[in-house]
Amino acid sequence: MAVATMTTPLPISFFPFLLLIPAICFTICHANSNLLCIQSEREALLKFKNDLIDPSNRLSSWVEGRDCCEWIGVFCQNSTGHVHQLHLASPLSAPDFDTPPAEWEAYYNSLLGGKVNPSLLELKHLSSLDLSNNNFSSIQIPKFFGLLESLTYLNLSRARFQGAIPHNLGNLSKLQYLDLGGNYLGDLEQVTFKLPSLLELHLSGCGLHPSSISVNSSKSLVILDLSWNRFSPVPKWIFSLHGLVSIDLRFNYLEGPIPDYFGNFSFLEVLDLSGNSFDSSIPNLLYSLNRLQFLSLRGNQLQGTISSAIGNLSSITHLDLSYNYMLEGRLPTSLEYLCKLKEMDLSYNKIEGGISEILQSLSRCCLGSLESLDMSNNQISGHLTDQLGQFKNLSYLSLAQNKISGPIPSSIGELSSLKFFDVSENQLNGTFPLSFGQLESLETLDFMNNLLEGVVLETHFLNLTRLTTLTASHNRLRFEPNSSWIPPFQCEIIELVDWHLGPKFPQWLKFQKKLFVLDISDAGISDAMPTWFLNLPTQFEYLNLSFNQLIGGISYLNVRDIVDLRSNQFRGPLPRVFRNLRHLILSNNSFSGSLFELVCNSSSGELMEVLYIDKNLISGEIPDCWNHWQDLGLLDLGSNNLTGKIPPSLGHINLTVLNLRNNSMFGELPSTLQNSSLTMLDLSENHFNGSVPAWIGDNSSLLRIISLRSNNFNGHIPHKICDLLNLLILDLAHNNISGTIPKCFRKLYSMANRNNRENYMYVSEGLYLSALLVLKGRQDEYGATLGLVTSIDLSTNSLTGEIPKEIGRLVELRSLNLSGNLLTGNIPDNIGNMKLMESLDLSMNRLNGEIPLSFSNLNFLNHFNVSYNNLTGQIPTSTQLQSFENYSYMGNHLCGPPLTKNCSTKDFSTEVENNGSSGEGSKVNGLYVSIVLGFVMGFWGVVAPLFFIRPWRHAYYRKLDHIGAKLYVFWLPWICSLMGKNHV
């Protein structure tokens, strides 16, 4: 999304002076053609050139025998031929960080370097020297510069000089302009500038601190730039420079209240204090600066309300109070007196009030002047009204992330100068106005996350020929243009998530030749991916077609950054991808085949960071050729048909997430995995075996989620797990693990201490880390809230011994499941201190004793099971424990609600008293003896006569045959009747 910026303008009073410079240069250049430079000066320049490093041969015209006044960067006086100006700044500006390497190489080659030869002292008439934007990184600013007595202009900015500022620069009595910005000059003794003619001093980004420098040019200096340094507090010597017209102190370490002394600069036109840590209210003395044209207090910690005295800034054109976060209250109506206001940015604060009242105040005086208004990220409410259309020169309007409701007024179409319009993340409703189609200057349109509804027509885009960004996701809009419609715009960014664009794939996209961001996810498209879309001439940076019903196969994806195709019906082999792709998300489709071509192709994976192919039909083994995937951090191959072992090369890359759950993989875990910086390891629902490796706690302190559920692991729980201070989820359920529960579980810091955890773990745009967890007796996938879950599940193993009381120290634990083991002893009383517990399952063990009374403190408990143990006594009374069904307590000797068994009855009292005693043991043993004797006597009393007396045996079997025949005759008609009905 585009961002409005305010640049610091030069004072208006100095525009004539600056305009004079190119005029002089033009005159001198014209004169050069009729003059020959002076021999001694030509020789001095050649000596100067010989000490320079010139990779691009910029100074190729500097050769013996040619007029030096014709050399590039050399300017001679009109009348005498003396070299007057030397302008050798780099002709190229520094590229953006993502610029191709070839452009960076060209830029670096354009920079001059080497040494600065003192032969420049021969240029006695040199008044202007510009060596800015070069690379003199190995030398200090030459001291002989202080002997160039004719200099009026010296620009060494961003030339990468190092070390101290020469003291003798103070000898340049004629110097009017000095710029040393962008050179690191911070580690030096104090330098005092006593330059009687100095008008402008620029020391931006020099690493200066309060003791580095002072300036004593109180009568002449009008422009002072000390931005991007380390000043704290504001240097006091500044306040003695009463003639200052422009002060730039942005991005220092200034804090506390804004000094009232700023109100004494009666000539001040520009004041920039942005990017500091001022934390007071805005002092009223600032509002008294009636010549002030530019005021930026952006990015501080200012608080309180904006005073009505702001109306005294009658000359203000640019006002920026954004990113203070704590400025609050309603805007004063005195804004109506800011008649020259062009740009106002109050974004990222807590400003309240109605938007219509704010626009009403601004409309009384600056209807014709206001060009940019940014009130985004505040608490503004109310409705937009037709008065919005009165700001004819408004080109930038952002009201995003407020509480504005109601429809967008149709008068929006009257803003003929509007280029940027952002009302995203409000509560706007109604339809999308047709008048948007009249905005011929509009470049960016953003109304995502609102409640707009209805049908969007081709007419809505009729005259939007300059539109480059259309972000309108998460509304209730339908757009089904004619299949032959050709959009009037060439967009670079289109985001229409949750629109109804289907069922056919949007044909109008084939005409977008400059598109590099496209998000039409969840758009109701159920169609095959058209061939023309895969062959578009544009190369996408970001492509999101997820949550549709797209079908067919994909051979190649021409995307260089992020692809998200999850939750469609794509099938066939995995697509080939662009070699620089960073995120590939193909989850929940029907891709099939092996991973070999994608993983082992040397042209893919070099820059890949996220690879999600879970919930597909991928089969075969995971190939062992991951060594060139060095940037891969998140790998999810869960819920496929993978077999075989984990390849060792997976441990040679620095994975943070490895998810192989729900496959058919086997074998022991490779030791190479200990080289990774895992935060999540999910190998659940496979056939892995061996012991849980001890190295799982080595070099893995970042691990937050371990799930080895439903495998064949055996052995003991390694004590190294206790070293995982960030562990939130431990699931070892449904294995063959034996031994005791380690007492060192108390060291699991994140389960025992409250941390400022995010409720989600971010992966990519709209994608969060997810895990399939069994909590509260059911299996669910946790994504957006995964960061809040804390759980231990050791159920269905062969653990023995007692539940360690140390586990009660894990007071941040939400879920504990120890069911289906062989645990004995009493339930630790301090489990009742785990007051955030929501799910507790201790069922199917051999626990005895009573349920601790402290369990009545578990007020968030919504799943509880202690069934099938040897527990006795009364169930503690609490709102939660009495709310569970009887099956949570069955298989014990418990009484009291919710069970029907009353603890006061004589029978139960006798049973509890005798439980475990020798008397009861005798009764039980006698019962068993009686049962055995009864069985023996009854069995042989009947069977023995039949076995030894033949007539009895024959009579017995004849009787059985007779009874069988009668039953057959009785039941046969009924069975036949029933079978007949079933055949009707």
Side-chain angles (χ1 to χ4, degrees):
M1 185 178 70
V3 177
T5 58
M6 292 187 180
T7 56
T8 307
L10 291 172
I12 294 174
S13 57
F14 281 85
F15 283 174
F17 172 76
L18 295 177
L19 291 173
L20 186 61
I21 293 176
I24 294 172
C25 292
F26 180 81
T27 304
I28 294 171
C29 290
H30 243 323
N32 286 350
S33 61
N34 300 318
L35 294 170
L36 291 175
C37 74
I38 297 168
Q39 178 67 22
S40 60
E41 295 184 351
R42 178 167 54 244
E43 293 175 358
L45 289 173
L46 288 173
K47 289 180 182 178
F48 170 70
K49 175 192 174 183
N50 289 337
D51 280 352
L52 293 177
I53 298 173
D54 183 9
S56 63
N57 205 17
R58 280 170 51 196
L59 306 184
S60 58
S61 61
W62 289 34
V63 293
E64 185 72 48
R66 293 185 59 181
D67 184 4
C68 68
C69 295
E70 298 291 334
W71 294 354
I72 188 169
V74 179
F75 302 93
C76 299
Q77 285 180 338
N78 187 24
S79 56
T80 65
H82 287 294
V83 175
H84 182 223
Q85 298 183 14
L86 198 55
H87 292 172
L88 297 177
S90 171
L92 301 179
S93 299
D96 295 330
F97 72 95
D98 56 350
T99 299
E103 291 188 31
W104 275 103
E105 183 178 3
Y107 166 70
Y108 282 122
N109 286 337
S110 72
L111 306 181
L112 297 176
K115 298 180 180 179
V116 182
N117 195 296
S119 63
L120 291 182
L121 289 173
E122 298 296 323
L123 308 179
K124 303 296 185 182
H125 299 272
L126 189 66
S127 63
S128 179
L129 177 60
D130 187 349
L131 298 178
S132 62
N133 199 20
N134 282 295
N135 187 16
F136 297 102
S137 57
S138 60
I139 63 172
Q140 295 184 352
I141 297 174
K143 293 182 179 180
F144 73 83
F145 280 179
L147 303 177
L148 298 171
E149 297 178 354
S150 297
L151 278 183
T152 61
Y153 179 94
L154 178 58
N155 190 347
L156 305 178
S157 62
R158 298 177 302 280
R160 298 181 176 87
F161 287 110
Q162 298 176 355
I165 300 174
H167 285 264
N168 61 353
L169 285 185
N171 299 332
L172 300 176
S173 59
K174 297 181 181 180
L175 195 65
Q176 299 178 9
Y177 181 100
L178 176 60
D179 191 345
L180 304 179
N183 299 289
Y184 186 77
L185 309 170
D187 298 329
L188 55 125
E189 298 178 0
Q190 183 169 356
V191 174
T192 301
F193 286 102
K194 297 180 180 180
L195 302 170
S197 303
L198 193 64
L199 298 174
E200 297 190 32
L201 177 60
H202 298 269
L203 296 173
S204 176
C206 292
L208 302 175
H209 48 82
S211 61
S212 298
I213 187 173
S214 66
V215 177
N216 186 8
S217 302
S218 58
K219 293 183 179 179
S220 61
L221 195 66
V222 292
I223 296 178
L224 177 63
D225 181 359
L226 298 177
S227 60
W228 295 93
N229 282 292
R230 296 181 290 174
F231 289 110
S232 177
V234 179
K236 292 184 178 180
W237 52 262
I238 289 180
F239 300 116
S240 65
L241 304 174
H242 300 296
L244 284 176
V245 173
S246 174
I247 301 175
D248 190 346
L249 288 170
R250 61 199 156 115
F251 293 100
N252 277 279
Y253 296 103
L254 308 177
E255 55 188 10
I258 297 175
D260 288 336
Y261 296 115
F262 282 112
N264 298 331
F265 291 105
S266 56
F267 300 102
L268 202 60
E269 298 176 8
V270 174
L271 178 59
D272 195 339
L273 302 178
S274 59
N276 285 287
S277 299
F278 291 117
D279 57 6
S280 64
S281 59
I282 302 173
N284 279 334
L285 279 173
L286 279 189
Y287 296 132
S288 66
L289 299 172
N290 55 16
R291 293 192 181 188
L292 202 62
Q293 299 175 24
F294 180 99
L295 175 61
S296 179
L297 304 177
R298 175 188 180 96
N300 282 279
Q301 300 168 25
L302 298 173
Q303 51 193 278
T305 60
I306 297 174
S307 168
S308 60
I310 196 172
N312 297 328
L313 298 176
S314 55
S315 299
I316 200 78
T317 60
H318 299 74
L319 176 63
D320 191 348
L321 306 179
S322 62
Y323 288 90
N324 279 285
Y325 299 105
M326 297 299 291
L327 288 175
E328 58 189 1
R330 292 176 174 268
L331 289 180
T333 57
S334 58
L335 288 176
E336 63 184 355
Y337 300 116
L338 306 183
C339 299
K340 297 181 181 180
L341 190 63
K342 291 183 178 181
E343 298 183 21
M344 184 168 75
D345 189 347
L346 305 180
S347 59
Y348 289 89
N349 282 292
K350 293 183 177 180
I351 294 171
E352 302 171 350
I355 183 61
S356 59
E357 288 80 8
I358 295 171
L359 292 177
Q360 181 65 32
S361 295
L362 293 172
S363 67
R364 289 173 184 157
C365 193
C366 57
L367 274 178
S369 63
L370 192 63
E371 299 173 0
S372 176
L373 177 62
D374 192 343
M375 300 285 296
S376 59
N377 294 80
N378 279 285
Q379 298 176 11
I380 298 169
S381 56
H383 297 350
L384 288 168
T385 62
D386 282 332
Q387 65 185 342
L388 180 61
Q390 300 174 11
F391 294 87
K392 303 299 183 184
N393 290 316
L394 194 64
S395 63
Y396 184 101
L397 177 62
S398 180
L399 302 174
Q401 297 187 47
N402 280 288
K403 301 176 181 179
I404 302 171
S405 58
I408 299 174
S410 59
S411 64
I412 190 75
E414 299 173 17
L415 299 178
S416 57
S417 300
L418 195 62
K419 295 180 180 179
F420 184 98
F421 181 73
D422 186 357
V423 289
S424 60
E425 299 188 52
N426 278 284
Q427 300 163 21
L428 296 167
N429 54 31
T431 59
F432 182 44
L434 274 173
S435 56
F436 269 103
Q438 304 169 23
L439 300 176
E440 297 180 355
S441 300
L442 194 63
E443 298 173 2
T444 296
L445 174 58
D446 188 348
F447 55 93
M448 67 182 296
N449 289 340
N450 278 284
L451 304 172
L452 299 176
E453 56 189 0
V455 177
V456 177
L457 306 173
E458 300 169 17
T459 316
H460 283 94
F461 304 104
L462 184 61
N463 294 315
L464 302 187
T465 56
R466 299 183 182 180
L467 191 67
T468 59
T469 301
L470 174 59
T471 51
S473 301
H474 306 297
N475 283 281
R476 304 167 184 171
L477 296 168
R478 175 185 293 269
F479 184 43
E480 299 177 16
N482 190 293
S483 60
S484 61
W485 180 61
I486 300 177
F489 50 78
Q490 285 292 322
C491 271
E492 298 173 354
I493 300 173
I494 294 178
E495 296 178 359
L496 302 177
V497 183
D498 283 342
W499 281 43
H500 187 86
L501 303 176
K504 296 294 183 181
F505 197 92
Q507 294 292 310
W508 53 272
L509 287 174
K510 70 169 63 173
F511 303 105
Q512 299 301 295
K513 308 300 184 185
K514 299 180 179 180
L515 198 60
F516 64 85
V517 172
L518 177 64
D519 189 345
I520 50 174
S521 56
D522 200 8
I525 303 171
S526 53
D527 196 4
M529 176 88 79
T531 305
W532 59 258
F533 182 76
L534 297 174
N535 296 325
L536 282 175
T538 183
Q539 185 179 51
F540 290 104
E541 287 186 5
Y542 176 82
L543 175 64
N544 191 340
L545 305 177
S546 62
F547 296 99
N548 286 289
Q549 298 181 43
L550 293 165
I551 61 175
I554 303 174
S555 59
Y556 178 68
L557 288 168
N558 189 22
V559 185
R560 68 172 181 262
D561 198 11
I562 297 176
V563 172
D564 189 348
L565 303 181
R566 64 193 147 131
S567 298
N568 279 284
Q569 299 175 23
F570 291 117
R571 61 181 183 271
L574 294 170
R576 292 179 295 113
V577 297
F578 187 69
R579 63 179 302 168
N580 292 332
L581 188 67
R582 293 191 307 113
H583 294 189
L584 178 60
I585 304 166
L586 304 176
S587 309
N588 198 21
N589 279 283
S590 298
F591 288 109
S592 58
S594 77
L595 291 168
F596 185 85
E597 182 63 27
L598 175 66
V599 174
C600 300
N601 187 337
S602 60
S603 65
S604 63
E606 292 181 356
L607 299 178
M608 192 82 75
E609 299 171 3
V610 176
L611 180 60
Y612 273 38
I613 316 181
D614 56 302
K615 301 182 185 123
N616 278 281
L617 304 173
I618 306 300
S619 58
E621 297 186 0
I622 300 175
D624 192 14
C625 49
W626 294 88
N627 290 321
H628 66 285
W629 292 65
Q630 291 302 310
D631 288 339
L632 188 64
L634 291 88
L635 177 61
D636 191 343
L637 301 176
S639 299
N640 280 286
N641 299 319
L642 296 170
T643 60
K645 299 181 178 181
I646 297 176
S649 61
L650 265 182
H652 296 152
I653 56 180
N654 199 22
L655 285 174
T656 57
V657 172
L658 177 59
N659 189 341
L660 301 176
R661 73 177 177 227
N662 191 24
N663 281 285
S664 299
M665 301 185 68
F666 54 83
E668 297 187 2
L669 305 189
S671 60
T672 54
L673 283 180
Q674 66 185 307
N675 301 323
S676 301
S677 300
L678 289 168
T679 60
M680 174 178 173
L681 177 64
D682 190 346
L683 306 179
S684 59
E685 298 178 59
N686 280 282
H687 306 296
F688 294 113
N689 54 30
S691 60
V692 178
W695 54 254
I696 207 164
D698 293 339
N699 303 320
S700 300
S701 60
L702 297 176
L703 258 173
R704 301 173 71 177
I705 300 172
I706 300 176
S707 181
L708 305 181
R709 182 185 190 87
S710 299
N711 280 283
N712 299 317
F713 289 107
N714 52 37
H716 295 182
I717 299 174
H719 283 62
K720 279 286 188 180
I721 281 184
C722 301
D723 294 334
L724 300 175
L725 302 182
N726 293 299
L727 193 64
L728 298 175
I729 297 170
L730 175 63
D731 191 346
L732 304 178
H734 292 269
N735 280 284
N736 300 316
I737 298 172
S738 57
T740 60
I741 299 173
K743 294 181 179 181
C744 63
F745 270 15
R746 68 182 185 276
K747 295 166 57 179
L748 296 173
Y749 182 85
S750 291
M751 295 184 183
N753 296 274
R754 181 177 296 277
N755 297 318
N756 293 322
R757 298 193 295 265
E758 295 285 350
N759 61 336
Y760 57 84
M761 302 178 191
Y762 181 74
V763 174
S764 177
E765 185 70 29
L767 180 65
Y768 304 99
L769 198 63
S770 63
L772 199 63
L773 305 177
V774 179
L775 303 176
K776 306 175 186 178
R778 64 178 185 271
Q779 189 177 61
D780 292 301
E781 186 164 10
Y782 288 77
T785 59
L786 181 60
L788 297 178
V789 179
T790 46
S791 168
I792 293 179
D793 192 343
L794 306 179
S795 62
T796 319
N797 280 286
S798 300
L799 296 170
T800 57
E802 297 186 351
I803 300 174
K805 62 182 180 180
E806 286 81 4
I807 211 165
R809 299 183 185 180
L810 306 181
V811 294
E812 290 293 308
L813 202 63
R814 263 72 170 179
S815 176
L816 176 63
N817 190 346
L818 304 178
S819 65
N821 282 286
L822 305 171
L823 300 172
T824 57
N826 294 336
I827 300 173
D829 183 71
N830 62 353
I831 287 182
N833 298 331
M834 304 164 77
K835 297 182 180 180
L836 298 178
M837 186 74 71
E838 298 175 15
S839 177
L840 178 61
D841 193 341
L842 306 177
S843 63
M844 292 183 285
N845 279 286
R846 300 174 179 178
L847 302 171
N848 53 40
E850 298 184 351
I851 298 175
L853 291 174
S854 62
F855 275 29
S856 60
N857 298 326
L858 302 178
N859 295 323
F860 293 100
L861 207 59
N862 54 47
H863 177 80
F864 180 67
N865 195 343
V866 291
S867 61
Y868 297 102
N869 281 285
N870 296 317
L871 299 174
T872 60
Q874 182 173 354
I875 297 171
T877 302
S878 77
T879 305
Q880 297 302 107
L881 295 179
Q882 271 67 51
S883 67
F884 299 110
E885 300 292 337
N886 289 4
Y887 64 77
S888 295
Y889 302 98
M890 65 191 307
N892 288 287
H893 305 286
L894 297 167
C895 65
L899 302 179
T900 55
K901 186 178 291 186
N902 194 330
C903 296
S904 62
T905 63
K906 181 179 180 181
D907 291 341
F908 184 78
S909 300
T910 303
E911 179 185 338
V912 172
E913 288 171 6
N914 295 329
N915 184 45
S917 67
S918 60
E920 183 181 10
S922 300
K923 291 179 181 179
V924 172
N925 292 336
L927 176 63
Y928 290 158
V929 171
S930 299
I931 291 173
V932 172
L933 288 174
F935 173 77
V936 171
M937 296 299 293
F939 179 80
W940 286 107
V942 175
V943 173
L946 295 176
F947 185 80
F948 291 106
I949 305 174
R950 179 179 295 178
W952 286 25
R953 186 164 64 249
H954 289 173
Y956 177 76
Y957 287 119
R958 281 198 300 270
K959 186 64 175 177
L960 287 179
D961 289 340
H962 180 69
I963 293 172
K966 282 190 174 184
L967 289 174
Y968 178 79
V969 171
F970 177 81
W971 287 107
L972 181 62
W974 183 82
I975 293 173
C976 292
S977 174
L978 182 63
M979 293 177 64
K981 289 181 181 179
N982 289 338
H983 283 82
V984 174

